[in-house]
Amino acid sequence: MTANTAHIAQPIALDPHQIEIRAVREEEIHCVAEIITRSFHFDRGWMGWFTPLFKLGIAEDLRHRLRSHATSANPAKSQQQVCSIAVYPDRGQMRVIGTIEVGVRINNYRQTTPQRYVYISNLAVSRDFRRRGVAIELITSCEQLTKTWGYSKIHLHVMANNERGRNLYQKLGYEIVSSEFVWSILPWHRPERLFLCKNL
């Protein structure tokens, strides 16, 4: 059954045992795009006019990346980029309530022996289901997958002003490795981004 992201009519008590974490299917990519769009505020203020374009761009980017890994000549590469979703039963349907990506990236790729590391990105949970443990379930699934790939560390970025995100990651054992300022079109606004790591 294909999942969707339709809003829950009334708040429901979330049973963590009924949350299913699995790889996204092609026909569900639009659900992922919608959750990411709403989670990163691409649907608010003046940007609301461009929401359909944001959603389309996110969906096409994800579709392209997943297809390129799936059709890679390197058999191992197809297993090193995964977009997972959290789905939950409601009124006979499975609804997409969260998403996350995890993949192997290359650091210092110009060197003779480039370093590979596992990186989490695009963690997003539907507004109706936040602060209910969905993000923890998604992160935990990535950590388990990382171990099956043979890696003992996992990494991610979080904005320094994202207090909830920082508290969540630190609660789960992630430690700050470094920080950097992100480019901004506003000269007086230089948001800081933190690079975190966890030993598994």
Side-chain angles (χ1 to χ4, degrees), residues 54-189:
F54 285 130
K55 289 168 63 175
L56 179 62
I58 292 170
E60 288 305 310
D61 177 63
L62 176 58
R63 184 175 287 109
H64 171 74
R65 285 186 287 111
L66 293 181
R67 283 180 176 175
S68 66
H69 281 276
T71 59
S72 171
N74 181 356
K77 189 176 180 182
S78 63
Q79 300 176 357
Q80 295 181 342
Q81 180 69 34
V82 176
C83 175
S84 297
I85 56 174
V87 295
Y88 193 79
D90 176 61
R91 299 183 182 183
Q93 292 186 333
M94 298 299 289
R95 301 192 183 279
V96 179
I97 62 174
T99 182
I100 196 169
E101 285 188 62
V102 60
V104 176
R105 296 192 176 187
I106 298 177
N107 189 24
N108 299 325
Y109 63 92
R110 293 183 179 178
Q111 295 185 1
T112 307
T113 56
Q115 298 177 345
R116 297 179 179 271
Y117 65 100
V118 180
Y119 183 81
I120 288 177
S121 60
N122 291 335
L123 170 62
V125 176
S126 173
R127 292 172 185 171
D128 296 328
F129 290 90
R130 290 177 185 169
R131 295 183 293 281
R132 291 170 156 190
V134 178
I136 293 176
E137 293 287 337
L138 287 165
I139 295 169
T140 300
S141 71
C142 291
E143 293 175 354
Q144 293 172 346
L145 186 58
T146 298
K147 292 179 182 178
T148 67
W149 287 344
Y151 292 85
S152 59
K153 293 183 179 182
I154 190 167
H155 307 76
L156 57 84
H157 276 103
V158 64
M159 298 305 294
N161 59 0
N162 182 356
E163 186 174 352
R164 285 180 179 170
R166 289 180 58 182
N167 290 338
L168 171 63
Y169 296 133
Q170 291 177 341
K171 173 184 175 182
L172 294 177
Y174 287 80
E175 298 180 350
I176 298 174
V177 175
S178 62
S179 63
E180 59 186 19
F181 288 101
V182 181
W183 180 88
S184 173
I185 60 174
L186 303 176
W188 61 87
H189 178 65

Side-chain angles (χ1 to χ4, degrees), residues 7-84:
H7 289 293
I8 306 297
Q10 294 180 351
I12 58 177
L14 188 67
D15 180 358
H17 296 98
Q18 293 193 55
I19 298 175
E20 178 187 352
I21 309 295
R22 60 170 171 78
V24 67
R25 298 167 183 159
E26 178 107 6
E27 63 271 19
E28 295 166 337
I29 287 178
H30 71 282
C31 298
V32 171
E34 181 175 343
I35 289 178
I36 292 176
T37 300
R38 293 181 180 277
S39 294
F40 292 97
H41 311 301
F42 293 144
D43 62 337
R44 296 184 180 180
W46 62 269
M47 288 194 297
W49 292 93
F50 302 97
T51 296
L53 291 177
F54 285 130
K55 289 168 63 175
L56 179 62
I58 292 170
E60 288 305 310
D61 177 63
L62 176 58
R63 184 175 287 109
H64 171 74
R65 285 186 287 111
L66 293 181
R67 283 180 176 175
S68 66
H69 281 276
T71 59
S72 171
N74 181 356
K77 189 176 180 182
S78 63
Q79 300 176 357
Q80 295 181 342
Q81 180 69 34
V82 176
C83 175
S84 297

